[in-house]
Amino acid sequence: MTLKAIIFDVDGTLADTEDGHRESFNKAFAESGLDWNWDVALYDKLLKVTGGKERIKYFVETCQPDFTKPADYDGFVKDLHAVKTRHYNTMLREGHILLRPGITQLIGAARQRGIRLAIATTTSPENVATLLQQGFGADSERIFEVIGCGDIVPHKKPAPDIYFWVLEKMGLPAADCIALEDSENGLRSSLAAGIKTFITPNHYTRNQDFAGAAAVLSDLNDLPERLFR
Ligand code: XBP
Ligand code: MG
């Protein structure tokens, strides 16, 4: 295989974001007068569903049987999620969420070798933009040539749609790329798109099923050597 591109997941992979997302959901619920609270144990279960709006709906279906849905339920969820996104971006801008160790080195090593870089994530575009701005500063616009995110495709991970979208934009076959993911949903998505995938788990995903991954790495320190030797 001649490696031409690395496609990065964002949440849990570029940065340990999920507790920041969780706290932002809780702030949005409080601000909206809802007595909902997602603790770590509950959030662990809710992470089964990717995408914030989809996760709110899954929570309502499974944990709030008595909740009376407003007439415009989709609009309600969209507005609630927009409040969550505002809080999450504030957390990012305040520097509460940092890039995972090894990410900057991996990206630097890849760029030196002319490897193309892209992003495939379910999270919202503004979240990606702010995280990249915080993590890479002025360089952030130039690092990732294609950013696939949010509602740009009909089906979020574990569906392969977002990876297919990124491959098409890059004009590359799956065989020329690798993906870097942290979760089983992410792995199912990238594998279904035919992309060799490395996993770097975190505290939410460490017990998930990573069958089919090229390797499961406890940290990213060895990855440049593995990929570029
Ligand atoms: C990450 C997610 C995201 C975030 C919330 O999945 O599931 O939904 O938790 O993001 P992955 P939004 O890392 O597999 O892409 O609230 O912006 O949807
Ligand atoms: Mg992830």
Side-chain angles (χ1 to χ4, degrees):
M1 168 192 193
T2 321
L3 177 62
K4 297 217 173 89
I6 305 177
I7 309 174
F8 290 83
D9 169 51
V10 173
D11 292 301
T13 301
L14 281 189
D16 242 326
T17 54
E18 285 304 353
D19 278 316
H21 282 295
R22 186 177 63 78
E23 286 175 31
S24 306
F25 281 111
N26 287 333
K27 285 180 186 167
F29 300 152
E31 187 177 318
S32 309
L34 296 158
D35 66 348
W36 303 344
N37 185 69
W38 292 357
D39 62 17
V40 170
L42 173 59
Y43 197 65
D44 191 33
K45 296 194 177 83
L46 299 177
L47 278 174
K48 180 176 147 172
V49 172
T50 61
K53 294 187 286 292
E54 293 79 356
R55 190 168 300 143
I56 292 169
K57 287 184 174 173
Y58 175 67
F59 167 74
V60 170
E61 296 315 320
T62 54
C63 303
Q64 295 295 323
D66 298 330
F67 178 68
T68 310
K69 291 178 188 165
D72 180 11
Y73 180 52
D74 281 350
F76 161 82
V77 171
K78 200 170 164 224
D79 291 349
L80 185 55
H81 186 252
V83 178
K84 175 260 170 179
T85 299
R86 171 163 51 76
H87 284 295
Y88 181 69
N89 276 267
T90 303
M91 283 186 81
L92 287 173
R93 275 193 294 271
E94 287 174 352
H96 296 296
I97 298 167
L98 305 173
L99 297 176
R100 281 185 72 170
I103 285 289
T104 307
Q105 292 80 349
L106 171 60
I107 286 174
R111 290 179 85 195
Q112 258 181 13
R113 288 163 178 79
I115 309 280
R116 297 163 65 188
L117 303 174
I119 279 177
T121 175
T122 63
T123 203
S124 319
E126 52 268 63
N127 296 350
V128 179
T130 310
L131 180 75
L132 296 184
Q133 180 63 41
Q134 286 296 124
F136 301 103
D139 232 13
S140 64
E141 306 266 305
R142 287 194 298 276
I143 295 178
F144 299 97
E145 67 170 81
V146 173
I147 296 181
C149 53
D151 300 322
I152 210 163
V153 288
H155 303 108
K156 293 185 176 170
K157 299 174 188 177
D161 302 27
I162 196 67
Y163 278 101
F164 282 138
W165 188 93
V166 168
L167 289 175
E168 202 205 315
K169 290 276 170 212
M170 296 189 94
L172 286 176
D176 288 350
C177 305
I178 64 145
L180 188 57
E181 278 282 358
D182 70 300
S183 71
E184 186 177 346
N185 275 328
L187 176 66
R188 296 289 146 248
S189 172
S190 54
L191 288 184
I195 304 171
K196 180 175 174 178
T197 304
F198 290 84
I199 292 288
T200 176
N202 53 62
H203 74 101
Y204 277 115
T205 64
R206 62 182 174 218
N207 296 321
Q208 294 181 351
D209 178 5
F210 297 126
V216 179
L217 310 164
S218 56
D219 60 62
L220 293 171
N221 296 334
D222 295 340
L223 191 55
E225 163 122 14
R226 266 174 188 263
L227 294 178
F228 310 133
R229 71 183 158 220

